[in-house]
Amino acid sequence: MQEKKYTPFGKHKQEITPQKNKKNSQHILPGLKPVLELLQSEPGKIDHLYLKKGKNTKETAVILSLCREHSVRHTLVGDEALARLCGAAQHQGVAVRLREVSCVPYETLLETAFEAPLPLIVALDQVLDPGNVGTLVRTMYAMGAAGLVVPKHNSSFLGAGASRSAAGSLEKLPVAEVVNLARAVELAAKSGYTAYYADMRGKNALTAETQASLRFPALLVLGSEEKGVRQGVQNQCSEALCVPFLREFDSLNVAQAGAVLLAAFFQAHGR
């Protein structure tokens, strides 16, 4: 018997029509009923939910419960924030920002990465700049990488900005979202992947010796330019790799460093 889904606000499904916020090019879905319909039927389409502060009703209790059940990111905001987000649309105290990129289950990505021209998955640890992510994805797709992994929290919104920088490749490259990146790396290692992370104190990725030691399938974790890869994620990796500098310089952004490291794995896989 097919399990019935609880619909607290009537039996008829309301047509879901997202509003395009022209100011920031985000697709926004406002209103209690359409948001609840989406939470119950396709929560994976929601990037972030915004709920009015102090709105304590039966409906909002159901919304928060569904957010926790499906690990949907949500924030309590004031009326002004909702008004800016939704424009003239009636939001009834709740709205969601919709994903512009479809995600695949992480386990599926691990299973299918072997089939990619370059069996390498790249994971981003708290990288927030959508332009850098899009540029990196463009390089990944061109070089045959298997897919991208991003954390559900504290990561870049893969919307119009990332899509423009990716030049059409973001819609083609498999993207998986995970709640806990350290556990995701641990699962990859248990599934036969060798996990690496970028760090200035790591092995020079451009030497023939280092490239000869790289193992596939592989997972490479890149951190933000400011903070790098968190210690808990590093602990799940086998080895650190670096991009060598021949001049005194601070750092490269994630798209630049990622492109150099991708080239090292590309060379290693072709040996």
Side-chain angles (χ1 to χ4, degrees):
M1 179 184 296
Q2 186 176 4
E3 183 182 356
K4 294 183 179 179
K5 293 182 177 178
Y6 171 61
T7 305
F9 307 108
K11 298 179 180 179
H12 302 290
K13 186 173 182 179
Q14 180 174 322
E15 183 180 356
I16 295 175
T17 307
Q19 305 293 319
K20 186 69 175 292
N21 185 323
K22 295 181 181 179
K23 185 176 180 181
N24 54 17
S25 300
Q26 296 177 5
H27 285 82
I28 304 299
L29 179 68
L32 276 171
K33 190 168 183 179
V35 167
L36 270 161
E37 292 279 7
L38 194 62
L39 274 170
Q40 292 170 328
S41 60
E42 297 178 286
K45 286 188 175 182
I46 299 173
D47 179 73
H48 206 112
L49 182 144
Y50 301 90
L51 187 64
K52 180 181 175 181
K53 289 180 181 177
K55 191 173 177 66
N56 301 317
T57 64
K58 182 180 73 173
E59 292 90 344
T60 56
V62 173
I63 287 172
L64 290 172
S65 176
L66 288 169
C67 284
R68 289 189 289 268
E69 179 183 346
H70 299 294
S71 298
V72 173
R73 293 188 290 187
H74 56 282
T75 306
L76 300 180
V77 297
D79 266 331
E80 290 184 2
L82 280 168
R84 286 196 301 269
L85 197 67
C86 302
Q90 294 295 317
H91 55 72
Q92 299 174 293
V94 63
V96 296
R97 181 176 67 188
L98 301 178
R99 296 183 187 281
E100 296 187 31
V101 175
S102 299
C103 291
V104 300
Y106 178 57
E107 292 77 7
T108 301
L109 179 57
L110 290 178
E111 292 170 3
T112 57
F114 298 87
E115 304 165 8
L118 180 62
L120 169 70
I121 295 172
V122 175
L124 301 181
D125 186 16
Q126 297 186 328
V127 175
L128 302 177
D129 186 276
N132 275 333
V133 175
T135 301
L136 176 64
V137 166
R138 187 175 184 175
T139 306
M140 289 175 60
Y141 187 77
M143 300 188 77
L148 180 72
V149 178
V150 294
K152 183 177 282 289
H153 305 285
N154 295 319
S155 62
S156 168
F157 174 54
L158 300 181
S163 186
R164 281 193 300 270
S165 298
S169 57
L170 187 56
E171 291 74 23
K172 299 175 183 177
L173 186 77
V175 178
E177 192 178 65
V178 297
V179 175
N180 187 310
L181 186 58
R183 289 179 185 170
V185 176
E186 181 183 18
L187 178 59
K190 290 179 178 178
S191 302
Y193 286 75
T194 303
Y196 303 89
Y197 70 96
D199 188 271
M200 293 182 68
R201 297 162 295 182
K203 292 172 63 175
N204 183 345
L206 300 187
T207 66
E209 181 182 4
T210 297
Q211 291 176 15
S213 70
L214 297 178
R215 297 289 177 261
F216 296 90
L219 184 144
L220 171 65
V221 185
L222 303 174
S224 67
E225 188 176 351
E226 297 80 15
K227 298 180 180 179
V229 178
R230 289 171 295 167
Q231 187 63 51
V233 179
Q234 291 183 25
N235 293 342
Q236 301 301 327
C237 297
S238 300
E239 197 167 12
L241 301 173
C242 80
V243 176
F245 290 171
L246 298 183
R247 288 193 172 102
E248 192 69 29
F249 198 66
D250 184 20
S251 63
L252 301 175
N253 67 40
V254 69
Q256 295 163 336
V260 175
L261 293 173
L262 276 164
F265 279 94
F266 184 89
Q267 287 286 102
H269 192 249
R271 287 176 180 271

